[in-house]
């Protein structure tokens, strides 16, 4: 009887061992990397930035712009060539891969020049009433308001816009936008903490401002602007 009892306990223990092993997912050399990547993805959860606003707040801001900005723009603008009403643009967009590539490029160039990118500054702007830009590229949205993006670096406790100068032999340095030849206002790209005033003049002193072959701009623009015909998210 004692022997049968021992065999019975051994059988129960063996059954439990088989059951536990069968519940574990098999890990092979092929599946192990994927399993590790999945675990890493779970641990790298991204929290919502503090700058996220509610949809209600976004709609309110959008409507405020309609009443206090867009309508004024449309009043002072002449009709289009076909006689239709001028419609102020309300948004611009880039596909997400373009944005990722832009940030990676800016950080790459800044690193090679030995500086750190502090912020990405968005400047409001307006396209010229012309068919072509000075570089002979077509103006897709004549007279439409837009924006361009300028990276900044820290200089004397201020964030200042910069571009990259190629010194040759693989050496690069960051130079201030305000010092670029032809810039009218030497304070362009500064944020003066003493009076909290942002200087945003970006006008060349001449339409044929000198272009240095070794200078690399980091300013991004020429995205897709809209409307017209209609804003698919918040309406016109």
């Amino acid at each position: 009887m004692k022997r049968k009892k021992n065999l019975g306990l051994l059988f129960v223990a063996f059954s439990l061992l088989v059951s536990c092993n069968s519940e574990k997912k098999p890990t092979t050399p092929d599946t192990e990397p994927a399993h590790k990547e999945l675990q890493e993805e779970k641990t790298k959860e991204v929290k919502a930035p503090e700058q996220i606003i509610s949809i209600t707040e976004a709609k309110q801001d959008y409507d405020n712009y309609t009443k206090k900005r867009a309508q004024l723009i449309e009043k002072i603008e002449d009709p289009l060539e076909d006689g239709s009403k001028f419609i102020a643009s309300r948004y611009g967009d880039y596909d997400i891969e373009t944005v990722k590539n832009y940030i990676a490029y800016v950080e790459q160039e800044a690193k090679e020049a030995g500086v750190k990118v502090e912020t990405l500054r968005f400047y409001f702007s307006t396209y010229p009433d012309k068919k072509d830009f000075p570089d002979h590229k077509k103006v897709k949205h004549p007279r439409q308001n837009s924006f361009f993006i300028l990276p900044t670096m820290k200089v004397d406790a201020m964030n200042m816009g910069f571009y990259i100068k190629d010194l040759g032999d693989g050496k690069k340095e960051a130079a201030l936008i305000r010092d670029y030849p032809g810039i009218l206002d030497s304070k362009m790209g500064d944020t003066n903490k003493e009076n909290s005033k942002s200087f945003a003049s970006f006008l060349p002193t001449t339409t044929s401002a000198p272009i240095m072959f070794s200078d690399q701009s980091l300013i991004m623009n020429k995205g897709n602007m809209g409307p017209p015909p209609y804003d698919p998210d918040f309406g016109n």
Side-chain angles (χ1 to χ4, degrees):
M1 290 293 294
K2 186 175 182 180
R3 183 180 180 184
K4 289 184 178 180
K5 184 178 181 180
N6 290 337
L7 287 174
L9 292 173
L10 182 62
F11 176 76
V12 171
F14 178 77
S15 299
L16 289 174
L17 180 62
V18 172
S19 176
C20 291
N21 288 336
S22 63
E23 290 178 359
K24 293 182 180 179
K25 293 183 179 180
T27 303
T28 65
D30 293 333
T31 61
E32 189 173 357
H35 179 71
K36 287 183 178 179
E37 289 180 4
L38 183 61
Q39 290 297 110
E40 289 179 358
E41 287 181 4
K42 289 182 178 179
T43 59
K44 292 182 180 180
E45 181 179 358
V46 179
K47 295 182 179 180
E50 295 180 0
Q51 294 83 357
I52 292 289
I53 64 174
S54 68
I55 297 173
T56 301
E57 182 179 346
K59 174 59 176 174
Q60 184 180 50
D61 294 346
Y62 183 92
D63 290 342
N64 285 338
Y65 186 88
T66 299
K67 298 174 183 178
K68 299 182 179 181
R69 298 292 184 272
Q71 291 180 357
L72 294 176
I73 293 173
E74 293 171 357
K75 283 182 179 180
I76 65 173
E77 287 288 350
D78 295 328
L80 302 178
E81 293 182 358
D82 60 3
S84 59
K85 178 184 177 182
F86 180 91
I87 304 297
S89 60
R90 302 305 308 273
Y91 64 84
D93 61 26
Y94 301 96
D95 65 83
I96 194 167
E97 290 304 319
T98 296
V99 175
K100 289 179 179 180
N101 184 68
Y102 173 69
I103 293 175
Y105 177 72
V106 167
E107 290 183 331
Q108 166 193 285
E109 295 299 295
K111 183 178 181 180
E112 292 183 8
V115 298
K116 176 185 176 184
V117 179
E118 293 292 335
T119 67
L120 292 178
R121 183 172 293 163
F122 289 70
Y123 277 92
F124 300 113
S125 62
T126 301
Y127 288 120
D129 188 12
K130 298 179 180 179
K131 293 184 178 180
D132 299 295
F133 288 104
D135 61 2
H136 305 297
K137 292 183 179 180
K138 183 179 179 181
V139 179
K140 295 182 180 180
H141 313 282
R143 295 190 287 156
Q144 285 285 4
N145 49 306
S146 179
F147 63 89
F148 58 84
I149 308 173
L150 171 70
T152 71
M153 65 181 185
K154 190 77 72 177
V155 179
D156 298 329
M158 294 187 295
N159 293 332
M160 303 175 70
F162 69 97
Y163 65 100
I164 300 297
K165 297 187 72 172
D166 190 343
L167 304 178
D169 296 328
K171 297 180 180 179
K172 298 180 180 181
E173 73 173 7
L176 299 181
I177 289 290
R178 71 175 186 179
D179 296 332
Y180 188 81
I183 297 300
L184 180 63
D185 190 338
S186 62
K187 296 295 183 68
M188 192 283 174
D190 293 4
T191 301
N192 191 324
K193 289 190 175 183
E194 293 181 0
N195 56 18
S196 298
K197 180 179 179 181
S198 293
F199 297 87
S201 176
F202 195 54
L203 300 175
T205 55
T206 171
T207 55
S208 57
I211 302 299
M212 307 302 177
F213 72 92
S214 59
D215 294 338
Q216 176 59 57
S217 169
L218 299 177
I219 301 171
M220 185 163 77
N221 181 240
K222 299 181 182 178
N224 298 313
M225 304 303 299
Y230 179 76
D231 189 318
D233 299 310
F234 296 100
N236 287 335

